[in-house]
Amino acid sequence: MSKKRPPSGYDFASFKKRIDFINEKTGLKLNAEKRWWDEDLKGIIENPIGFVKVPLAIAGPLKIQGDYAKGEFLIPFCTLEGSLAISLVNGVFIANQAGGINTHYLKQEMPRSPMFFLPSLESEAIFKKWIEQNFPRIKEVAKESSSSIELLKIDSYPVGRKVILDFIFSTGNYSGQNLATIATQAVCEFIQKAFDKENPLSFLIESNFSGDKNGCYRNLIKGRGHAAIATVNIPEKVFKRVLHLDVQEAENSLNHGALASSLAGLIGHNLHTANALAGLYLATGQDLACVAENSGSLLHGEILSDGSLECSLTLPSITVGTEGNGTVLVDQQTNLRMLGCLGEDSSKKFAEIVAAVALALEISLGTAINHNDLANAHKKYG
């Protein structure tokens, strides 16, 4: 009788059994020895059978002046879309001509949002007050799960006889989704036992209010992970000499797009923030699915009194880390090292770099659209 599931395990013997399993099921002739690797993938993936090559490009140096990111940065960037890497190169050039990109770090808040089921509507107020009174102990329980996590606050949202508790954590250099989940489980079990010992409340570890792996207005307003703003002031002379554009036309183009974004029902307003996130996330070992929750950003342009155009991009959700998970892989860690994003506060620094790169790509695509060059770029580069 043939096996119905591939064998598990991380050693070579288990790996070879999976390759044999695939060959038996599909008729392929994969070579286990040629597909083997020397990296520890525990905590990153289960049932591994090798690696898929993804092209890696470089752009920059990009000048950034931020709260944590200061200097010139070479940008590692992965993509399978022709013209995207050269678009980033062009965006970096434009930004540098304007003196570079300024970034401002806002905060780190990683939510996890369990739902508790109460016996009556009247008990909601009692439950909410109990949570507030016992917050110091709840915070201790969360901290006991990991030294890398801190519970900042708990917001509550009643829905009928149910209450969503929005736990907000800081997670240091870790992106923090798993840390938040483990801490939330411990806290929920504590609440379940301590609130009413005779009639323990039931709960769901996640109500889907946290916006995990989903684009939503909650993430646009309250954020998920890090939050940062990137700005660049492009002088009128750069528009004329380098971009061959009228500054007023550029401002109109940036802001008129908000009308169409609203009509289409987009969350936020941007041209393609998801491209910047995906390229950087792949290159640096981030959770790629977080692009869904992070791509809602706010692009804005405003002509200043000196005639320059201030372009800003606000990213309220940047779910990234510089420790743990895929960041420990050799190539991904090399790219983080290239960015100088290892050590204390490195995830904050990386979040600012993400914001700056996203703005550079927005400017590049906006320029191409104004010049009616978008189709030509794809004809040339793919």
Side-chain angles (χ1 to χ4, degrees):
M1 182 177 178
S2 63
K3 295 179 180 177
K4 294 183 179 181
R5 300 175 63 181
S8 60
Y10 289 93
D11 59 349
F12 180 76
S14 301
F15 168 78
K16 189 174 185 307
K17 289 179 182 178
R18 281 192 294 277
I19 298 300
D20 293 341
F21 174 85
I22 293 170
N23 290 341
E24 177 187 338
K25 291 288 185 181
T26 65
L28 294 172
K29 296 181 180 179
L30 303 180
N31 187 306
E33 283 74 14
K34 290 183 178 180
R35 298 177 67 90
W36 181 244
W37 64 92
D38 58 359
E39 297 190 64
D40 185 3
L41 297 182
K42 290 181 179 178
I44 298 174
I45 192 170
E46 297 73 49
N47 290 0
I49 60 169
F51 287 80
V52 174
K53 292 182 179 180
V54 179
L56 175 66
I58 192 73
L62 172 60
K63 298 176 185 177
I64 303 176
Q65 182 60 40
D67 299 321
Y68 295 93
K70 303 175 189 290
E72 297 187 352
F73 298 87
L74 289 173
I75 310 300
F77 194 82
C78 289
T79 184
L80 297 172
E81 180 186 351
S83 78
L84 190 59
I86 197 66
S87 180
L88 177 57
V89 170
N90 292 339
V92 168
F93 175 76
I94 295 168
N96 286 344
Q97 289 294 303
I101 292 178
N102 297 311
T103 57
H104 175 52
Y105 182 82
L106 297 174
K107 63 179 181 177
Q108 183 193 42
E109 292 186 352
M110 174 54 61
R112 183 58 71 201
S113 308
M115 176 183 285
F116 278 85
F117 299 87
L118 304 178
S120 66
L121 288 175
E122 293 74 21
S123 59
E124 187 275 326
I126 299 172
F127 181 70
K128 181 179 179 180
K129 186 176 181 180
W130 187 92
I131 294 294
E132 293 172 351
Q133 291 175 338
N134 288 272
F135 180 75
R137 176 57 186 141
I138 291 173
K139 187 171 183 175
E140 290 176 356
V141 172
K143 190 67 174 180
E144 289 168 3
S145 69
S146 171
S147 60
S148 299
I149 198 166
E150 181 180 358
L151 180 61
L152 302 176
K153 61 180 178 178
I154 303 174
D155 296 324
S156 63
Y157 301 90
V159 183
R161 290 190 296 106
K162 307 168 187 68
V163 175
I164 297 168
L165 294 181
D166 197 21
F167 294 167
I168 308 298
F169 299 96
S170 66
T171 57
N173 280 337
Y174 294 90
S175 60
Q177 301 100 308
N178 293 342
L179 288 175
T181 300
I182 293 168
T184 298
Q185 181 70 36
V187 168
C188 286
E189 290 176 355
F190 167 77
I191 294 172
Q192 185 182 49
K193 296 174 182 177
F195 177 70
D196 189 340
K197 296 179 181 179
E198 295 183 1
N199 300 290
L201 300 177
S202 59
F203 66 89
L204 295 175
I205 185 67
E206 175 55 64
S207 63
N208 214 30
F209 182 77
S210 69
D212 193 351
K213 307 301 191 297
N214 285 282
C216 63
Y217 285 106
R218 182 227 179 273
N219 290 344
L220 185 67
I221 296 169
K222 301 189 68 175
R224 180 173 173 80
H226 298 280
I229 300 173
T231 65
V232 61
N233 290 1
I234 305 177
E236 190 172 11
K237 64 180 182 181
V238 172
F239 275 99
K240 292 179 178 179
R241 177 172 54 86
V242 179
L243 304 179
H244 309 292
L245 284 174
D246 178 78
V247 65
Q248 186 64 62
E249 290 177 349
E251 183 196 40
N252 291 343
S253 176
L254 277 175
N255 296 331
H256 287 171
L259 295 174
S261 294
S262 178
L263 181 63
L266 300 187
I267 297 174
H269 166 54
N270 63 76
L271 298 175
H272 64 156
T273 297
N275 268 331
L277 302 181
L280 276 171
Y281 287 11
L282 273 172
T284 58
Q286 309 303 318
D287 187 338
L288 191 59
C290 290
V291 171
E293 66 198 48
N294 294 168
S295 59
S297 64
L298 296 165
L299 178 66
H300 181 67
E302 181 178 351
I303 297 177
L304 303 181
S305 58
D306 62 1
S308 66
L309 179 65
E310 181 189 62
C311 301
S312 69
L313 187 68
T314 302
L315 289 91
S317 297
I318 309 174
T319 312
V320 297
T322 54
E323 295 183 38
N325 299 108
T327 66
V328 304
L329 295 172
V330 173
D331 292 339
Q332 285 78 354
Q333 190 164 105
T334 297
N335 289 335
L336 285 170
R337 194 179 303 277
M338 184 191 305
L339 291 166
C341 288
L342 295 175
E344 185 178 1
D345 291 329
S346 55
S347 68
K348 296 176 181 178
K349 180 180 181 179
F350 183 52
E352 290 190 357
I353 293 172
V354 170
V357 170
L359 177 58
L361 262 181
E362 293 287 320
I363 293 170
S364 180
L365 179 55
T367 302
I369 291 173
N370 269 282
H371 276 298
N372 203 21
D373 280 341
L374 184 59
N376 291 333
H378 282 290
K379 284 181 182 179
K380 182 175 182 179
Y381 295 104

